[in-house]
Amino acid sequence: MRNERKVRRRRSLLCLAVVATFVAVTTACGGGSASGELTSITLADGAQNLSAFNAPYDVFAKDRYWKESGFEVTPQFTQGGTQSVQLVASGKADVSVVGLSSALQVAAQSPSVKIIAITGGNIWQMAVPEQSAIRELADLKGKTIGVQALNTGQYLYNRAALEASGVDPDSDVEWLPIGTGAQAAAALDNGEVDALASYFGPLEVVGGLTRSPLRVLPTPLDDLDGSGAWIVNARVLEQHRDEIVEFMRGMSKTSIWAQQNPQAIIQSLWDTDPATKPRDVSDADAMASTVALVSAYWSKVINFGPEGMYGVLSDEAVEKAVHFHFDKGIVEGELDIAESIDLSVARDAADYDVEGIRAAAGQGNAP
């Protein structure tokens, strides 16, 4: 892609609440300098707490592959993707994994952030009770859709999906904030809402609390790659590119385990934080239920993408994803793709014995 290729969107659009002005970068949080090694890395995680969903990087890669590479990685839990990207932009954190919308928004506003990996696959979904007569998004005309809140990616992405399906997200449906977990399940059970706009992960949680299972509706978003992204402070990348490549290599190796041996990652989580293990069930049932809970999410964001490498999309897929976010009003501003997105980091990170890691994951042993 040529350096002059930019995506611009100037009109007033709905966007995620990312602060437009960032604190100037003064120092990086990592333990290295321009001439030294980067040994300490702060990872901002907007998940707010440790769970099975973020265990691949907050536990498994941290204690296995990153530790073997000499990195001391410290997860720093935040109040969401907005705060995470602000910390990376200001130099108060080194790296973060966030939704692609948050990554694009901060990259459009700050040269202090670089996008170094984009995960393939779509996580944003609409779901209805299994017995519902609603079979496709077009059937939602005249219906009420529940969503955690109206300032979330869940709302922005799913309203874009409705628009692409011929449904006016402003006049054809009603949106109702219903929170998460048991509160959202109750809204579905009592008929307060006809559908739930969410994403893999929370959908499984809510579906486990409703009286009947939830059924995911087909969505045009499934044809779009790019749900999540790894971002890095620009100064850290400039001064320590080799170390950041090695950091991403550890995540790439972990993505193999997430697909081939998710039980190993979950067990490492329980060993680290026993409170995250389901209670009052057998070990086998606890493992089976946890694997089922995370499998759909991990299959989209912690896997090898369509190019056969973790975090790598083709130039065409990147352009398609970026234009979608700007054209649908999910992100606003101006973005120079070549300046803001550098997937060569993820490509270089794919240079290792992939089959050796596959074999190790199959056997449950680290090579």
Side-chain angles (χ1 to χ4, degrees):
M1 291 178 287
R2 298 188 302 274
N3 285 341
E4 68 270 22
R5 180 173 294 157
K6 295 182 179 180
V7 176
R8 295 183 176 89
R9 181 63 50 180
R10 289 300 188 187
R11 56 190 170 89
S12 176
L13 299 169
L14 284 169
C15 67
L16 294 178
V18 179
V19 176
T21 303
F22 294 92
V23 178
V25 177
T26 55
T27 80
C29 288
S33 64
S35 58
E37 293 183 355
L38 181 69
T39 57
S40 177
I41 295 176
T42 300
L43 166 59
D45 182 357
Q48 301 183 29
N49 53 59
L50 187 61
S51 72
F53 291 103
N54 52 23
Y57 40 89
D58 283 339
V59 177
F60 191 83
K62 178 178 76 73
D63 294 339
R64 182 170 294 208
Y65 293 120
W66 291 336
K67 185 176 181 180
E68 290 172 359
S69 297
F71 300 131
E72 181 183 350
V73 177
T74 303
Q76 181 177 352
F77 294 111
T78 73
Q79 295 302 308
T82 297
Q83 186 179 9
S84 292
V85 296
Q86 290 173 353
L87 290 175
V88 173
S90 67
K92 296 178 181 178
D94 300 305
V95 298
S96 184
V97 56
V98 296
L100 182 56
S101 57
S102 293
L104 292 174
Q105 188 67 67
V106 71
Q109 295 171 337
S110 172
S112 299
V113 168
K114 300 294 183 184
I115 298 171
I116 57 173
I118 300 177
T119 56
N122 169 54
I123 62 172
W124 309 100
Q125 304 286 342
M126 293 266 203
V128 296
E130 190 174 47
Q131 72 277 12
S132 172
I134 298 170
R135 296 294 169 183
E136 56 187 24
L137 295 188
D139 296 335
L140 288 170
K141 286 186 177 181
K143 306 297 184 182
T144 300
I145 301 172
V147 66
Q148 177 181 340
L150 297 180
N151 62 346
T152 63
Q154 302 166 42
Y155 170 69
L156 294 172
Y157 278 99
N158 280 298
R159 63 174 280 122
L162 287 175
E163 185 178 359
S165 301
V167 179
D168 189 318
D170 295 314
S171 62
D172 288 341
V173 300
E174 180 180 351
W175 297 91
L176 184 65
I178 57 173
T180 60
Q183 182 180 353
L188 285 161
D189 284 340
N190 64 26
E192 190 176 0
V193 297
D194 301 290
L196 175 64
S198 190
Y199 62 97
F200 287 131
L203 277 178
E204 283 80 5
V205 172
V206 175
L209 298 172
T210 50
R211 286 195 291 265
S212 65
L214 296 182
R215 171 168 43 84
V216 174
L217 300 174
T219 173
L221 299 184
D222 285 337
D223 296 328
L224 186 74
D225 279 312
S227 290
W230 281 89
I231 61 174
V232 63
N233 178 275
R235 178 175 293 185
V236 171
L237 180 61
E238 179 183 3
Q239 296 177 351
H240 302 287
R241 187 182 187 281
D242 289 346
E243 289 99 322
I244 294 300
V245 168
E246 185 63 26
F247 175 88
M248 289 305 304
R249 184 170 292 130
M251 192 60 222
S252 180
K253 293 176 180 178
T254 297
S255 72
I256 295 176
W257 285 80
Q259 302 306 311
Q260 298 218 168
N261 193 344
Q263 295 85 354
I265 297 179
I266 293 167
Q267 187 61 56
S268 68
L269 167 67
W270 293 345
D271 291 343
T272 298
D273 186 354
T276 58
K277 182 178 180 179
R279 299 179 180 179
D280 302 323
V281 295
S282 68
D283 288 350
D285 286 345
M287 182 62 72
S289 64
T290 307
V291 170
L293 184 67
V294 301
S295 59
Y297 181 75
W298 286 6
S299 71
K300 299 297 184 181
V301 301
I302 309 178
N303 65 349
F304 274 28
E307 299 299 304
M309 293 171 281
Y310 177 77
V312 177
L313 298 181
S314 68
D315 289 350
E316 292 75 18
V318 169
E319 285 199 55
K320 181 179 179 182
V322 171
H323 281 283
F324 173 85
H325 282 77
F326 281 85
D327 292 343
K328 296 301 182 183
I330 299 172
V331 179
E332 65 177 3
E334 179 178 315
L335 182 76
D336 186 317
I337 294 176
E339 287 295 321
S340 299
I341 301 176
D342 182 8
L343 300 191
S344 70
V345 175
R347 289 190 181 92
D348 291 348
D351 183 16
Y352 63 92
D353 182 8
V354 172
E355 292 308 315
I357 301 298
R358 290 189 194 279
Q363 297 169 4
N365 300 313

